C-alpha cells in the first residue's frame, strides 16, 4: 500500500494498474532551486506528516542558474537533515542528475554537473546512518538526447527511464 503525500495534485489521466488508480498527491515543484525546496520543506513538513520515502531530484536548476556546487550541496544537506529530524527512519532517494541536451551542455556546465554528481555520492554516504538511508539514483549514466523534450526537461521516454530507475532502486531496497 502506497500513499503519496503533498499539497499538490497531478490531474493528468493515468491508466489503472492492478485495479489501482494513480495517487495524484505530490510535492513536486517545477523550476525550483534547492533554496526554495528547503523553504517548502521547512514550511510544510513536520514530525506528524513526515514522509517515509522521499524522491529528491534537485540541483539542476541551481547549477544552470550559476549557483556553485558547494552551495547547492549545502542546501541538499540541510534538506536531508530536516527530513531526518522529522522522521529518523526516512528513506531518501537522491538523484545524480541527468545532463541537459548535448547542445545545451557547455564544457563548463558538464564539468559542474560531473562535480555535483560526484558530491552526491558523498552526501548519501554521510547522511546514511543506522535508521535513515540516503540512496543514490544515477540518472546521468547512459542518458540520451532522445530522452529530452527541450534543453533541460525530459520527454515521455525520459520520464519512463526516470521512473524505472527510481523503481529499481526502491525495489532493491525494499526487496519486494
Amino acid at each position: 500500500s502506497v500513499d503519496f503525500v503533498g499539497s499538490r495534485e497531478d490531474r493528468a489521466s493515468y491508466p489503472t494498474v492492478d485495479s489501482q488508480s494513480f495517487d495524484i498527491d505530490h510535492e513536486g515543484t517545477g523550476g525550483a532551486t534547492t533554496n526554495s525546496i528547503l523553504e517548502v520543506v521547512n514550511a510544510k513538513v513536520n514530525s506528524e506528516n513526515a514522509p517515509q520515502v522521499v524522491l529528491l531530484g534537485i540541483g539542476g536548476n541551481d547549477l544552470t542558474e550559476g549557483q556553485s556546487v558547494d552551495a547547492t550541496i549545502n542546501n541538499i544537506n540541510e534538506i536531508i537533515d530536516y527530513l531526518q529530524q522529522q522522521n529518523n527512519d526516512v528513506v531518501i532517494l537522491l538523484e545524480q542528475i541527468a545532463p541537459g541536451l548535448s547542445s545545451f551542455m557547455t564544457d563548463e556546465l558538464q564539468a559542474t554537473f560531473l562535480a555535483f554528481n560526484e558530491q552526491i555520492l558523498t552526501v548519501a554516504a554521510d547522511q546514511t546512518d543506522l535508521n535513515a538511508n540516503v540512496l543514490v539514483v544515477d540518472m546521468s549514466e547512459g542518458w540520451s538526447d532522445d530522452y529530452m523534450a527541450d534543453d533541460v526537461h525530459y520527454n515521455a521516454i525520459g520520464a519512463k527511464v526516470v521512473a524505472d530507475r527510481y523503481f529499481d532502486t526502491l525495489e532493491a531496497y525494499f526487496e519486494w
Side-chain angles (χ1 to χ4, degrees), residues 89-117:
D89 294 324
V90 67
V91 176
I92 298 171
L93 280 69
L94 181 60
E95 277 190 37
Q96 286 180 300
I97 58 176
L101 197 63
S102 295
S103 59
F104 175 77
M105 296 295 291
T106 64
D107 289 344
E108 181 180 348
L109 195 52
Q110 286 177 357
T112 299
F113 271 51
L114 181 60
F116 173 82
N117 282 340

Side-chain angles (χ1 to χ4, degrees), residues 78-144:
E78 285 187 45
I79 291 166
I80 293 171
D81 287 344
Y82 185 80
L83 290 168
Q84 289 175 336
Q85 288 168 6
Q86 303 313 307
N87 176 3
N88 62 359
D89 294 324
V90 67
V91 176
I92 298 171
L93 280 69
L94 181 60
E95 277 190 37
Q96 286 180 300
I97 58 176
L101 197 63
S102 295
S103 59
F104 175 77
M105 296 295 291
T106 64
D107 289 344
E108 181 180 348
L109 195 52
Q110 286 177 357
T112 299
F113 271 51
L114 181 60
F116 173 82
N117 282 340
E118 287 175 5
Q119 286 197 36
I120 288 297
L121 295 170
T122 302
V123 170
D126 291 348
Q127 291 283 7
T128 296
D129 62 26
L130 293 175
N131 296 313
N133 286 288
V134 180
L135 311 172
V136 174
V137 182
D138 188 353
M139 295 300 171
S140 64
E141 180 69 30
W143 194 257
S144 168

Side-chain angles (χ1 to χ4, degrees), residues 24-53:
I24 63 173
D25 302 318
H26 68 90
E27 199 57 50
T29 306
T33 63
T34 55
N35 191 52
S36 61
I37 295 299
L38 182 58
E39 292 173 9
V40 168
V41 167
N42 284 323
K44 294 187 178 184
V45 176
N46 59 54
S47 60
E48 293 172 10
N49 70 359
Q52 294 174 320
V53 177

